[in-house]
Amino acid sequence: MPPLISNSTIMMPDGRTDLPSINFLRRHTPRIFKVFRRNVYPTVDLPYESNYTMVDDYFMGMALQQARKAWERGEVPIGALIVRECTNDDDDDDNNNNNDNIQSTKKRTFQILSAAHNRVETNIDASSHAELLALRNGAQNIGNWRYPPNSRLYTTLEPCPMCLASIQAFRIDNIIYGAPDNRLGAIKTHMNLLIVAKHPYHEIKSVTGGVRENECGDIMVQFFRQRRGGKKKLLKLPIRRESIPIKKQSTFVRFLKNILRRE
């Protein structure tokens, strides 16, 4: 089922349908602010019968699209996505709206809070991993460094220690990754920091690995194979001797050498 991307407007008390200003929202009830926050983010509607295996496969595909963008920029192809499922509690604290409850049983709505890909070389920044950029961008979008409950972070590669610590600092509840990282994986492969060093303020509720593992791993293998192949071609190029400058000895240096030889 193709996603139904929506970025709809809301009806204001005076009849206008354009998006209100932040000052207007602050003056009115919190319910209006909740509705506004729900509609400004891109949303994806999936069948209500879909389990989390189907949901994880779907959003990991979007993370793979971000990884392909990184490849096009010459970056290591890693993509990340932050998603949150909308619930009935997000719409309104009251239970008087029966139509919304009926519609909610037919579909599951997910908010896409942020999406990013690896930009280490582009930004000349070793911390510009896909997960970190997604966390930073999403925090700016929602206006809070604490992510809402049940937020889910999708990444095509197992997070490294730096990214895992940031995921916990931003209060992400669920982590879903694709391929394992044999060199820097901080969840299972190289080390398990979730068990070795428990975070004092936040605990990850669930970790799911191996989602579309073959696709996430193949794109990494193909990228490094292509990059190594390009380097081999450069090494096979003939070296011109005339391009290497040969520094001639001065007359004074030769005179000193002759004196030392005589002694």
Side-chain angles (χ1 to χ4, degrees):
M1 178 180 178
L4 303 177
I5 304 296
S6 65
N7 206 357
S8 58
T9 58
I10 60 177
M11 181 67 70
M12 304 306 296
D14 55 359
R16 295 184 295 107
T17 58
D18 55 338
L19 291 178
S21 62
I22 298 297
N23 293 331
F24 177 87
L25 296 173
R26 290 175 178 174
R27 292 195 304 265
H28 290 74
T29 61
R31 180 181 180 277
I32 297 179
F33 185 71
K34 287 184 179 180
V35 176
F36 170 74
R37 293 290 288 274
R38 174 165 179 153
N39 286 274
V40 294
Y41 301 114
T43 58
V44 175
D45 295 334
L46 297 178
Y48 187 77
E49 295 79 9
S50 60
N51 53 25
Y52 267 111
T53 301
M54 299 173 58
V55 172
D56 292 343
D57 288 346
Y58 180 87
F59 287 115
M60 188 59 70
M62 299 183 69
L64 280 168
Q65 293 179 1
Q66 293 292 324
R68 295 187 185 96
K69 291 182 180 180
W71 188 337
E72 295 173 357
R73 294 174 175 267
E75 302 278 359
V76 177
I78 303 173
L81 191 79
I82 301 178
V83 174
R84 176 175 179 257
E85 184 174 7
C86 300
T87 60
N88 294 335
D89 295 337
D90 298 332
D91 296 336
D92 192 0
D93 295 335
D94 300 330
N95 296 324
N96 296 328
N97 196 342
N98 297 325
N99 294 329
D100 292 342
N101 295 331
I102 294 174
Q103 292 180 358
S104 63
T105 60
K106 297 180 181 179
K107 63 183 179 180
R108 299 174 67 179
T109 302
F110 295 85
Q111 289 179 329
I112 302 176
L113 302 180
S114 179
H117 55 80
N118 191 27
R119 297 175 64 94
V120 172
E121 302 295 337
T122 303
N123 296 347
I124 317 177
D125 183 4
S127 66
S128 293
H129 289 193
E131 298 94 326
L132 273 172
L133 293 178
L135 290 168
R136 294 170 183 168
N137 296 339
Q140 294 294 325
N141 293 336
I142 65 178
N144 194 341
W145 60 269
R146 294 184 181 89
Y147 274 85
N150 299 323
S151 296
R152 306 171 66 82
L153 185 141
Y154 293 85
T155 175
T156 57
L157 189 67
E158 182 181 358
C160 67
M162 176 181 65
C163 293
L164 180 60
S166 300
I167 291 170
Q168 293 175 308
F170 279 93
R171 308 299 196 263
I172 295 292
D173 287 336
N174 308 283
I175 300 176
I176 302 95
Y177 67 89
D181 188 355
N182 296 323
R183 296 184 301 172
L184 294 173
I187 293 179
K188 182 180 179 181
T189 309
H190 178 62
M191 63 181 71
N192 193 341
L193 291 181
L194 296 177
I195 296 178
V196 174
K198 188 175 181 180
H199 198 275
Y201 306 122
H202 182 68
E203 183 178 359
I204 301 296
K205 293 182 179 179
S206 67
V207 176
T208 305
V211 178
R212 302 181 72 163
E213 178 179 350
N214 294 333
E215 298 177 62
C216 296
D218 288 344
I219 192 173
M220 295 284 291
V221 172
Q222 294 174 12
F223 172 80
F224 284 107
R225 185 177 297 170
Q226 183 185 47
R227 194 164 74 170
R228 283 192 296 266
K231 288 184 178 181
K232 289 181 180 179
K233 292 180 181 179
L234 293 176
L235 292 175
K236 291 181 180 179
L237 294 176
I239 300 176
R240 298 180 181 179
R241 293 187 177 181
E242 60 270 20
S243 62
I244 302 176
I246 300 176
K247 189 175 182 180
K248 297 182 179 181
Q249 296 180 353
S250 62
T251 305
F252 179 72
V253 173
R254 291 199 301 269
F255 173 73
L256 291 178
K257 285 185 177 180
N258 291 332
I259 293 176
L260 294 174
R261 287 174 185 174
R262 293 174 185 176
E263 295 179 355

